[in-house]
Amino acid sequence: MKPIIQVNNLRKTFKIYHNHKGFFGAIRNLFDRKYDLIHAVDNISFEVYPGELVGYIGPNGAGKSTTIKMLTGLLVPTNGEINVNGYLPWKERKDYVKDIGAVFGQRTTLWWDLPLTDSFDLLKHIYDIPHDVFQKNFHLFNEILGLDEFIRTPVRSLSLGQRMRADLCAALLHNPSLVFLDEPTIGLDVVAKQRIRDFIQFINQEKGTTILLTTHDLSDVAKLCERVMIIDHGKILFDGNLNSLLQEFGGSRQLSVEFTEFYPQPLLTNAAIIQRNGNKVVYSFEREVVSASNLINELSDHYRIKDLEVRDQPIEDTIRRIYEDRLLYN
Amino acid sequence: MQRAFSTLKRLLSIQIRSQLQYPLSFIMDVIGNALILGFYFIAFTFALSQFEGISGWTLGEVAFIWGITEFSFGVMDMLFSGFDYDSFGPVIRKGRFDQMLLRPVNITLQVLGSRFVLRRLGKVLEGLLIFIFGLSQLDIHWTLIKILYVPVLSISQVLFFGSLFIIGATTTFWTMERLEILNIFTYGGSEIMSYPMHIFPRPIRLIFTFLVPAIFLSYFPAVFILGKSDPLHAPKFVSFIAPLVAVLMMFLALRFWHYGIRNYQSTGS
């Protein structure tokens, strides 16, 4: 299969200018400006295949948005190659954007003063969407996103959650083969988040739309993506299966046990006690060293157990460890 | 291309509909605007009545170029509202330019369609009234060429001012600071074009001949249409190059505009 996105040694360098202050400074700025070079995206390469739903994550300023902006044709790369859907995004912009969709969580792509339904009509015209396709898609999306209740409201009066649902619908009405979702759940409550995740999953599975999802919210990634790319300081730190990432960097797991009676030293061979409170004891163990079931067997052989629970390190902690420890830097 | 224009038409009709939501207040707005702007000319006529015209030009003759320049600038200000620095600056800052780049429509047409300030009809109306007043005072020896040249001249002025607006908007790709100096050429240019340009000192005239070729879009054409003698002794053909200058300016402005888009760095996240 041919990749739908192909990126080779992509780099974007920004010049950050230091301005002189004041009136004469402004004039000086015209002739003499000092600047720093910032490699927002530093020599990255990856491929995305049709039908994939890839999570693209990284801390603030890591280069996520810059990558997306180059992929969508908003920014011209400094170096490197991008091929999306057979197009060079920034150069063949007008033809290229016909077959992609994009949602930027921070801002709407809809017309601020228009009622939602007028915005959709305008999109129908702009993308030249056949009437039956438009109707079919709208009804389908409406069912999941529930747009009816605010379809006549101008976009400026919508709540953040409503606006995001509207934006998602708008980005997909023309059946794009590839969609970029940049922070689609930012600032939303749990219910709204779930609705949007359901929709993303539906689009990916039912329509086979390729999705590149940028997010801060790692539970989005955990729920939706099999493949995850982690970027930091403009470099891709990890690109692969989410489970194998957790396996490798998931760190220690925890086993908390409540005994029926008090044991002064309930020791285990391959786990350390990290906390105890009366009959309750929390152990920590490494997944490579011992399995949870072995530990439980060992416990039940020697002690009487009332209750127990096994916990993984939260995915946030795992990713944070990767950022902080630069575990993946060579 | 036809599709693009029908999109432009839709975008504009959205703008117009929303601005006509309260028709009465809109009409009052336009008339009020025309009157306020018109007072400026009325004050000028009283001042001028104390003298025998300016440097050989009568009140009617000044009204002629004043009126046509105001009219054209008003039309331009309406059509090119999207490129007005005051509206294009926020478009860049708020990331709305990104949204436009994501649509499969010509980007220049989208900016044109992004704003259409119908209220500018006030200036258009004012210009028209002054122009008509000028004609009523004058006894022009009309020929077919002169009659045809008046609308051509107005269209040329619209393109000329529009190109200055586009150049101004393009600078926002590099700097968010407002470049006041550009206003000298746009608004200052339209002021200067409202007067017979031979009255200005040589340095100013040279700026508005070679840096911003405004003189070819009002003074020289007027010399021909009004049948004035030209104390600057320019060759006769310069009276007729207004459309050429305008198209050239627009061409250069659009080149600069596209160069600016290539260098666009988008905003934050």
Side-chain angles (χ1 to χ4, degrees):
Chain A
M1 205 171 13
K2 270 178 65 181
I4 190 166
I5 301 178
Q6 177 132 35
V7 170
N8 286 324
N9 304 319
L10 183 65
R11 174 177 277 162
K12 180 72 192 180
T13 308
F14 289 112
K15 285 181 182 175
I16 305 296
Y17 287 99
H18 307 291
N19 284 326
H20 301 284
K21 295 249 155 57
F23 174 75
F24 291 104
I27 291 175
R28 243 182 103 184
N29 282 339
L30 295 176
F31 307 102
D32 150 49
R33 289 172 99 186
K34 292 201 165 56
Y35 58 83
D36 287 332
L37 289 177
I38 306 287
H39 302 296
V41 167
D42 196 2
N43 215 14
I44 65 173
S45 302
F46 62 87
E47 285 167 358
V48 174
Y49 288 88
E52 278 194 288
L53 202 177
V54 182
Y56 191 44
I57 60 178
N60 286 333
K64 295 187 301 268
S65 286
T66 307
T67 314
I68 300 289
K69 280 176 180 170
M70 285 192 280
L71 288 174
T72 46
L74 300 181
L75 287 179
V76 184
T78 312
N79 292 121
E81 292 158 29
I82 302 183
N83 187 313
V84 192
N85 256 344
Y87 291 102
L88 189 58
W90 58 270
K91 204 161 194 179
E92 300 157 287
R93 185 190 73 80
K94 238 170 35 183
D95 288 320
Y96 166 63
V97 296
K98 277 180 196 157
D99 196 30
I100 64 161
V103 172
F104 294 96
Q106 312 270 24
R107 53 177 89 114
T108 182
T109 57
L110 298 165
W111 288 266
W112 203 238
D113 296 313
L114 286 189
L116 205 45
T117 164
D118 290 6
S119 269
F120 290 156
D121 271 349
L122 200 50
L123 289 173
K124 179 175 176 240
H125 171 85
I126 285 177
Y127 286 95
D128 208 1
I129 310 171
H131 187 69
D132 52 326
V133 174
F134 178 84
Q135 288 296 330
K136 203 175 129 224
N137 276 346
F138 180 74
H139 287 300
L140 192 62
F141 300 162
N142 188 19
E143 228 168 84
I144 309 173
L145 294 169
L147 307 170
D148 269 335
E149 40 180 315
F150 49 85
I151 194 82
R152 310 229 157 264
T153 315
V155 174
R156 71 180 123 80
S157 320
L158 297 180
S159 75
L160 184 61
Q162 291 173 332
R163 209 214 73 210
M164 203 70 85
R165 277 138 75 191
D167 260 314
L168 273 171
C169 176
L172 286 152
L173 281 172
H174 57 291
N175 279 339
S177 60
L178 170 65
V179 179
F180 299 94
L181 303 176
D182 192 4
E183 305 279 0
T185 58
I186 200 164
L188 301 184
D189 64 46
V190 185
V191 181
K193 264 184 192 168
Q194 192 50 46
R195 200 165 196 164
I196 282 177
R197 283 179 194 148
D198 289 345
F199 184 70
I200 294 172
Q201 195 149 40
F202 171 82
I203 291 299
N204 177 246
Q205 284 174 359
E206 299 301 314
K207 294 212 154 221
T209 309
T210 313
I211 297 175
L212 189 62
L213 170 71
T214 311
T215 181
H216 266 96
D217 188 342
L218 295 161
S219 53
D220 285 347
V221 176
K223 292 212 166 91
L224 292 169
C225 309
E226 267 181 38
R227 176 179 163 196
V228 56
M229 295 195 289
I230 303 180
I231 186 172
D232 194 15
H233 291 80
K235 288 183 160 46
I236 290 184
L237 303 186
F238 178 86
D239 179 358
N241 189 277
L242 180 63
N243 285 328
S244 68
L245 174 82
L246 295 180
Q247 211 113 69
E248 207 169 331
F249 302 103
S252 48
R253 311 174 81 189
Q254 290 180 2
L255 173 68
S256 29
V257 188
E258 190 180 352
F259 298 105
T260 47
E261 57 199 271
F262 182 78
Y263 299 104
Q265 278 204 307
L267 294 178
L268 291 172
T269 4
N270 287 314
I273 296 175
I274 54 171
Q275 202 186 333
R276 69 174 301 166
N277 182 10
N279 290 357
K280 287 184 186 168
V281 179
V282 181
Y283 300 90
S284 156
F285 65 100
E286 302 299 324
R287 68 182 78 221
E288 307 91 68
V289 179
V290 64
S291 74
S293 70
N294 281 345
L295 282 182
I296 295 167
N297 282 337
E298 192 183 346
L299 273 173
S300 54
D301 284 349
H302 299 91
Y303 312 105
R304 297 181 60 198
I305 304 165
K306 188 176 171 194
D307 192 16
L308 57 77
E309 188 191 1
V310 182
R311 266 196 310 251
D312 278 319
Q313 175 175 285
I315 178 171
E316 277 86 354
D317 291 352
T318 307
I319 306 278
R320 191 179 316 126
R321 255 185 65 198
I322 294 174
Y323 296 152
E324 284 171 2
D325 302 351
R326 300 274 174 274
L327 279 174
L328 295 160
Y329 278 130
N330 303 323
Chain B
M1 204 62 201
Q2 203 184 347
R3 253 207 98 59
F5 275 105
S6 94
T7 305
L8 177 64
K9 224 170 68 189
R10 270 174 184 250
L11 292 173
L12 291 179
S13 82
I14 291 164
Q15 296 274 330
I16 292 170
R17 249 184 304 158
S18 77
Q19 289 172 48
L20 288 180
Q21 256 176 344
Y22 306 98
L24 186 66
S25 102
F26 171 77
I27 290 167
M28 299 297 283
D29 221 17
V30 167
I31 293 175
N33 219 275
L35 287 178
I36 292 166
L37 292 166
F39 276 126
Y40 192 40
F41 181 76
I42 291 165
F44 173 75
T45 57
F46 283 119
L48 201 64
S49 66
Q50 304 297 314
F51 312 95
E52 293 284 312
I54 35 176
S55 298
W57 283 50
T58 64
L59 178 62
E61 286 163 345
V62 176
F64 179 89
I65 51 170
W66 186 308
I68 195 168
T69 302
E70 287 280 287
F71 175 83
S72 306
F73 195 91
V75 171
M76 184 285 299
D77 212 0
M78 196 161 58
L79 291 177
F80 287 81
S81 302
F83 286 97
D84 189 343
Y85 186 95
D86 290 326
S87 73
F88 192 69
V91 164
I92 292 281
R93 275 195 297 278
K94 290 179 186 160
R96 274 180 44 219
F97 193 68
D98 287 357
Q99 300 160 23
M100 293 184 193
L101 286 173
L102 286 169
R103 305 270 178 235
V105 180
N106 180 295
I107 190 72
T108 312
L109 288 186
Q110 284 192 75
V111 176
L112 278 175
S114 69
R115 200 153 172 265
F116 189 82
V117 184
L118 211 53
R119 266 182 342 113
R120 302 274 190 265
L121 278 175
K123 198 173 175 94
V124 175
L125 183 68
E126 176 235 8
L128 197 63
L129 290 175
I130 294 174
F131 181 71
I132 291 168
F133 166 76
L135 289 184
S136 75
Q137 300 289 306
L138 292 170
D139 189 18
I140 301 174
H141 179 67
W142 287 106
T143 62
L144 185 63
I145 291 177
K146 284 184 184 179
I147 292 170
L148 290 177
Y149 199 37
V150 171
V152 169
L153 178 61
S154 179
I155 293 167
S156 304
Q157 287 182 341
V158 170
L159 287 178
F160 172 77
F161 291 131
S163 66
L164 293 180
F165 259 38
I166 290 174
I167 290 168
T170 305
T171 60
T172 17
F173 289 126
W174 289 277
T175 174
M176 290 293 168
E177 293 165 53
R178 193 183 171 118
L179 295 178
E180 288 296 341
I181 193 151
L182 290 168
N183 287 343
I184 299 175
F185 301 123
T186 46
Y187 296 96
S190 85
E191 281 302 315
I192 281 185
M193 282 163 68
S194 302
Y195 297 91
M197 235 177 256
H198 66 281
I199 62 171
F200 295 111
R202 195 178 152 81
I204 291 184
R205 239 175 27 230
L206 289 179
I207 287 174
F208 284 96
T209 304
F210 294 106
L211 188 59
V212 183
I215 198 166
F216 301 105
L217 287 131
S218 77
Y219 176 74
F220 287 133
V223 163
F224 160 68
I225 295 170
L226 302 173
K228 302 296 290 179
S229 65
D230 171 26
L232 301 176
H233 305 295
K236 287 269 180 291
F237 77 91
V238 295
S239 290
F240 302 98
I241 61 173
L244 217 69
V245 171
V247 169
L248 185 69
M249 282 286 290
M250 187 48 87
F251 173 76
L252 293 176
L254 287 174
R255 283 289 290 272
F256 182 50
W257 165 247
H258 285 119
Y259 174 73
I261 293 174
R262 280 281 301 277
N263 284 277
Y264 170 58
Q265 299 214 329
S266 190
T267 47
S269 62

